[in-house]
């Protein structure tokens, strides 16, 4: 009887295991998406970047348009990228041609970012009506620049913080490892895994972090698929 039950469980697993595994626990993260926007200028494809307005979070940094998935407004993460791009750049969604998706990036701070590759069907960035509440300015960089220039690479260390000091100096316990009887190694911060940070310098602009990682990903595919 038990053997039959075990076989029944395995048969259920065979039936319901995904053909193409995804990211386990993605719903426990904050899910977001960005558009990787290409624009053709003088017969050459460029990537379009935006500089965030100085008064918002991460002000002054360079990024792609995008934002957090809104279940009330978006059917999926492609919708998120289109909506946010339209809001930030002042472009109608029917002027954005979606090419496809790249891999999902999982950020150490509890965020997933789906990259959506698209082409802006405009002739000049001056056609954009950027939202100055969120975007300071936009600029383009020829794809060939990234193909011909390897990004700088830095390593930072990440560690798990089971507790921390708040602004008043009080100890805030997030994971009571000691009280749970776990090994002493987990009573204090542990891990210290290395995390790669990439950085490109283009003229007076610095493109780094997630944005640079996405650029590198796209360029690596481009190198394989083209004759650059």
């Amino acid at each position: 009887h038990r053997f039959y039950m075990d076989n029944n469980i395995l048969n259920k697993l065979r039936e319901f295991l995904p053909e193409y595994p995804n990211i386990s626990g993605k719903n426990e993260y904050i899910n977001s998406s960005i558009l990787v926007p290409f624009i053709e200028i003088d017969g050459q494809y460029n990537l379009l970047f935006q500089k965030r307005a100085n008064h918002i979070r991460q002000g002054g940094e360079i990024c792609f348009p995008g934002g957090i998935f809104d279940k009330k407004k978006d059917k999926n993460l492609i919708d998120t990228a289109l909506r946010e791009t339209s809001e930030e750049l002042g472009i109608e969604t029917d002027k954005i041609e979606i090419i496809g998706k790249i891999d999902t990036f999982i950020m150490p701070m509890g965020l997933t970012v789906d990259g959506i590759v698209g082409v802006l069907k405009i002739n000049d960035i001056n056609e954009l009506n950027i939202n100055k509440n969120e975007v300071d300015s936009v600029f383009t960089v020829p794809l060939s620049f990234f193909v011909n220039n390897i990004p700088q690479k830095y390593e930072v260390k990440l560690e798990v913080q089971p507790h921390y000091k708040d602004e008043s100096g009080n100890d805030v316990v997030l994971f009571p490892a000691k009280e749970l009887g776990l090994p002493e190694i987990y009573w204090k911060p542990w891990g210290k895994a290395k995390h790669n940070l990439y950085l490109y310098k283009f003229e007076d602009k610095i493109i780094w972090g997630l944005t640079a990682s996405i650029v590198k990903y796209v360029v690596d595919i481009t190198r394989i698929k083209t004759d650059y």
Side-chain angles (χ1 to χ4, degrees), residues 197-208:
L197 284 179
Y198 296 98
L199 182 151
Y200 293 94
K201 287 185 178 180
F202 176 74
E203 297 177 348
D204 62 339
K205 300 174 177 67
I206 295 179
I207 302 166
W208 74 287

Side-chain angles (χ1 to χ4, degrees), residues 51-63 109 208:
K51 181 180 178 183
R52 296 170 65 85
N54 289 324
H55 64 274
I56 65 174
R57 184 174 58 87
Q58 294 178 293
E61 293 193 12
I62 291 169
C63 64
M109 65 287 296
W208 74 287

Side-chain angles (χ1 to χ4, degrees), residues 29-34 57 66-71 73-74 77 79-81 83-84 88 111-113:
Y29 287 76
I30 297 172
N31 300 146
S32 68
S33 67
I34 56 92
R57 184 174 58 87
I68 305 299
F69 174 77
D70 187 331
K71 63 182 179 182
K73 299 178 180 179
D74 308 325
L77 286 163
D79 280 358
T80 303
R83 174 178 56 79
E84 291 283 353
E88 293 172 13
L111 177 75
T112 69
V113 182

Side-chain angles (χ1 to χ4, degrees), residues 61-213:
E61 293 193 12
I62 291 169
C63 64
F64 289 126
I68 305 299
F69 174 77
D70 187 331
K71 63 182 179 182
K72 294 181 180 179
K73 299 178 180 179
D74 308 325
K75 291 179 294 184
N76 51 49
L77 286 163
I78 292 179
D79 280 358
T80 303
L82 288 172
R83 174 178 56 79
E84 291 283 353
T85 300
S86 179
E87 292 174 2
E88 293 172 13
L89 298 184
I91 183 174
E92 297 173 358
T93 56
D94 61 4
K95 290 186 176 180
I96 305 172
E97 178 186 357
I98 299 300
I99 302 300
K101 295 178 65 176
I102 62 175
D103 288 345
T104 299
F105 287 73
I106 302 177
M107 307 307 293
M109 65 287 296
L111 177 75
T112 69
V113 182
D114 280 42
I116 314 298
V117 179
V119 177
L120 304 186
K121 310 303 285 186
I122 58 176
N123 298 313
D124 190 282
I125 61 174
N126 291 322
E127 296 180 34
L128 300 173
N129 183 25
I130 63 174
N131 180 356
K132 285 292 186 176
N133 289 324
E134 298 186 46
V135 181
D136 175 79
S137 58
V138 297
F139 64 95
T140 60
V141 181
L143 179 63
S144 58
F145 169 83
F146 298 110
V147 172
N148 296 324
N149 291 274
I150 297 174
Q152 298 176 29
K153 177 181 174 182
Y154 299 89
E155 288 185 342
V156 295
K157 287 187 177 182
L158 305 175
E159 64 180 15
V160 179
Q161 297 277 356
H163 57 85
Y164 69 97
K165 296 287 185 182
D166 64 16
E167 295 179 355
S168 301
N170 300 313
D171 195 34
V172 179
V173 178
L174 302 173
F175 181 59
K178 182 177 181 180
E179 289 76 6
L180 291 170
L182 297 177
E184 189 172 347
I185 188 176
Y186 302 116
W187 299 1
K188 298 179 180 180
W190 79 84
K192 299 182 180 179
K194 291 183 178 180
H195 177 68
N196 292 333
L197 284 179
Y198 296 98
L199 182 151
Y200 293 94
K201 287 185 178 180
F202 176 74
E203 297 177 348
D204 62 339
K205 300 174 177 67
I206 295 179
I207 302 166
W208 74 287
L210 171 65
T211 305
S213 293

Side-chain angles (χ1 to χ4, degrees), residues 39-47 122-125 139-141:
I39 177 172
E40 186 177 356
I41 301 175
D42 296 329
Q44 183 179 16
Y45 275 111
N46 289 244
L47 284 172
I122 58 176
N123 298 313
D124 190 282
I125 61 174
F139 64 95
T140 60
V141 181

